[in-house]
Amino acid sequence: MTAPRLTDVDLTDVVALLVDMDGTLVDSDAAVERLWRRWALEHDVDPDAVVAVCHGATGEETMRRFRPDLSPAELVAENQVHLRRETADTDGIVAAVGAAELIDALARIGLPWAVVTNADRGLARARLAAAGVEVPELVTVDEVELGKPDPASYRLGAARLGVDVERCLVVEDSGTGIAAGRAAGARIASLRRDDGDLPVADLTELAALLLTARPSH
């Protein structure tokens, strides 16, 4: 564990964690970027531009941004093809740095947690399995009307855990996810970013902060 640092966030008041999947609990960047580059080339779109904005966004949102000419039905069909490709391609997907330490810390202090993701359930299960990560509760984009940055998925995650979302700590790596967490009313631990309430370098640092703030069982 790295030495914990001081933080203005009162972690003793946090009753649950709501954790993003891609780029946060699971390192899937290589697979995500590989498949979005493939889609971009198939649609005569700049792959670098797509990769720059695809993380954290829903597939349909990314496609709509670069192919506004596609009809709603075409977007749905394109996204289904892309999701099937993503679910089948788990090469290089691993647990994020500090994921095991965070999960262990949450068990030691008895803090409930859930994964909240813009992936659908099939894709989420495939990536979590590839990374060897077991989660107690999973909220996916196909369970809400709108994915992140809409707050619905984070509100659903808190409801599933039986807690107030305002007392949850959302763990996110993207601007889209941070916006969703803020709109839901939660506090934000931001990975490798400075725009959260609690910026952290990785999940190892977050685990250390939680263990310092709360007595273990």
Side-chain angles (χ1 to χ4, degrees):
M1 290 283 183
T2 57
R5 58 178 174 72
L6 295 176
T7 171
D8 292 332
V9 176
D10 182 8
L11 293 176
T12 64
D13 187 48
V14 170
V15 298
L17 258 65
L18 301 174
V19 186
D20 175 53
M21 184 181 71
D22 290 309
T24 301
L25 193 65
V26 171
D27 182 355
S28 56
D29 285 359
V32 170
E33 294 181 9
R34 179 169 60 246
L35 288 163
W36 275 114
R37 286 183 182 279
R38 175 179 175 179
W39 179 86
L41 291 172
E42 289 174 348
H43 290 267
D44 196 26
V45 174
D46 180 5
D48 291 336
V50 174
V51 165
V53 300
C54 68
H55 294 284
T58 64
E60 285 188 31
E61 179 184 354
T62 300
M63 292 173 180
R64 187 181 301 112
R65 180 170 184 164
F66 291 95
R67 288 294 308 274
D69 57 302
L70 295 176
S71 69
E74 288 171 326
L75 282 171
V76 169
E78 283 284 332
N79 192 47
Q80 288 303 310
V81 170
H82 192 75
L83 282 171
R84 286 195 293 272
R85 289 175 176 176
E86 287 187 308
T87 303
D89 186 352
T90 57
D91 186 39
I93 292 177
V94 296
V97 172
E101 289 89 342
L102 178 61
I103 293 170
D104 178 67
L106 293 173
R108 288 170 62 184
I109 62 181
L111 204 62
W113 64 286
V115 165
V116 179
T117 175
N118 260 355
D120 72 358
R121 186 155 293 265
L123 176 57
R125 284 177 170 169
R127 286 185 173 165
L128 289 166
V133 176
E134 295 185 8
V135 301
E137 189 65 58
L138 176 62
V139 176
T140 56
V141 73
D142 40 352
E143 298 180 86
V144 292
E145 185 174 349
L146 295 172
K148 306 172 193 177
D150 188 89
S153 56
Y154 275 122
R155 289 173 178 159
L156 178 57
R160 288 265 180 86
L161 296 178
V163 298
D164 293 331
V165 70
E166 292 84 2
R167 296 188 65 192
C168 291
L169 183 68
V170 162
V171 188
E172 272 284 359
D173 73 310
S174 73
T176 298
I178 288 172
R182 285 204 190 285
R187 284 161 287 183
I188 313 295
S190 53
L191 283 181
R192 303 176 299 276
R193 304 173 62 102
D194 295 327
D195 51 350
D197 303 300
L198 174 59
V200 291
D202 54 37
L203 298 181
T204 304
E205 182 181 3
L206 179 58
L209 288 167
L210 287 166
L211 287 172
T212 298
R214 309 171 68 96
S216 60
H217 289 184

